[in-house]
Amino acid sequence: GGGAGNGARLGDFAALELQARDGSPEQRLLVLTLDTSMLEVSSAQAAFIWEQLARGVPSILVVHVPFMLPGATPQDNKHVLCGDPRYGFEGDTGWQVERRERWPRGGAPAATQRFLEDLVRRFAVPHGPLMGVLSGHEHAHRADVLGKTWTTPPLRVTCQRGDQPRCERRAASDGLNPNQPVHEGLVQYVTHAACDGGHRLVEVRDARPLRGPASPL
């Protein structure tokens, strides 16, 4: 659940643990939520997320404003994001239109930058359990990838000759859709606005070898 204290409001962060459809106790998914609408991450928010990720359960982090991930998020993004170096007094051009306080002269607190550094270096796959970040805000559809991206092979057609010839179409990579990008590493997904029909379908599978058929969560 959410917590308060150290500048955090109730609902600033939360955790939901999901079990596999077959009820397997070994296959769990941790869904974490974090309020990034202020373009900052407080020390209380960071402490909660680190405590949850330290459990080692495969996790997905859900936020509203995406993170500026070095080496993955476009630097010329028209939106100022959480952890963005442009966040500050001089970079705030919308405060009068939005009728709010202008961004601080000192930019984001140090906790925000430390949070992003730890997110990438300590807790993101392959070093930790965090598999992906789901975000919105930009009304755009994009995947920021920290790692390698490759494309799965096309469908393979095999035919058997005989009195009644029969052909089968099989994917060259078991469990993966053909001709689709595969990201290895942490991925931050940005999604179009729901009011415009924007959405994503997320299915997490245990792809570790020698464990039998994968159980979707």
Side-chain angles (χ1 to χ4, degrees):
N6 293 333
R9 305 182 306 276
L10 185 65
D12 275 355
F13 43 78
L16 174 66
E17 186 171 318
L18 304 176
Q19 296 287 340
R21 294 176 185 171
D22 62 1
S24 172
E26 296 182 359
Q27 295 182 322
R28 297 172 293 162
L29 177 67
L30 189 61
V31 180
L32 304 173
T33 62
L34 183 67
D35 182 6
T36 56
S37 58
M38 301 301 292
L39 307 183
E40 299 179 1
V41 177
S42 70
S43 56
Q45 289 177 309
F48 175 81
I49 298 299
W50 296 159
E51 180 183 11
Q52 295 297 319
L53 292 178
R55 298 168 54 193
V57 179
S59 305
I60 290 177
L61 178 60
V62 182
V63 301
H64 176 63
V65 179
F67 298 111
M68 177 61 76
L69 299 177
T73 307
Q75 297 296 310
D76 59 351
N77 196 307
K78 67 178 182 179
H79 294 275
V80 176
L81 306 179
C82 186
D84 199 315
R86 297 173 294 176
Y87 174 70
F89 190 86
E90 298 299 330
D92 192 356
T93 60
W95 66 282
Q96 290 178 312
V97 175
E98 298 177 4
R99 296 182 180 181
R100 54 168 173 75
E101 291 187 14
R102 199 165 181 175
W103 293 339
R105 291 187 180 275
T112 302
Q113 188 59 37
R114 288 199 302 268
F115 178 84
L116 288 178
E117 291 175 356
D118 286 345
L119 193 75
V120 172
R121 297 177 183 176
R122 295 178 55 195
F123 292 105
V125 293
H127 310 293
L130 183 61
M131 299 179 291
V133 178
L134 305 181
S135 63
H137 181 65
E138 299 183 56
H139 293 199
H141 214 66
R142 190 183 70 247
D144 301 335
V145 184
L146 284 173
K148 298 183 298 182
T149 298
W150 52 281
T151 302
T152 56
L155 282 174
R156 183 175 54 197
V157 179
T158 58
C159 298
Q160 296 179 352
R161 297 181 179 180
D163 296 336
Q164 295 180 343
R166 184 178 61 182
C167 294
E168 293 182 352
R169 301 186 347 168
R170 294 182 179 179
S173 299
D174 292 338
L176 299 176
N177 293 326
N179 293 320
Q180 295 295 316
V182 175
H183 307 305
E184 294 183 4
L186 178 69
V187 184
Q188 174 174 254
Y189 295 99
V190 184
T191 306
H192 279 296
C195 60
D196 293 330
H199 65 280
R200 289 186 186 271
L201 299 178
V202 179
E203 185 176 36
V204 179
R205 289 181 175 271
D206 189 345
R208 290 174 293 185
L210 303 178
R211 294 181 60 87
S215 296
L217 290 162

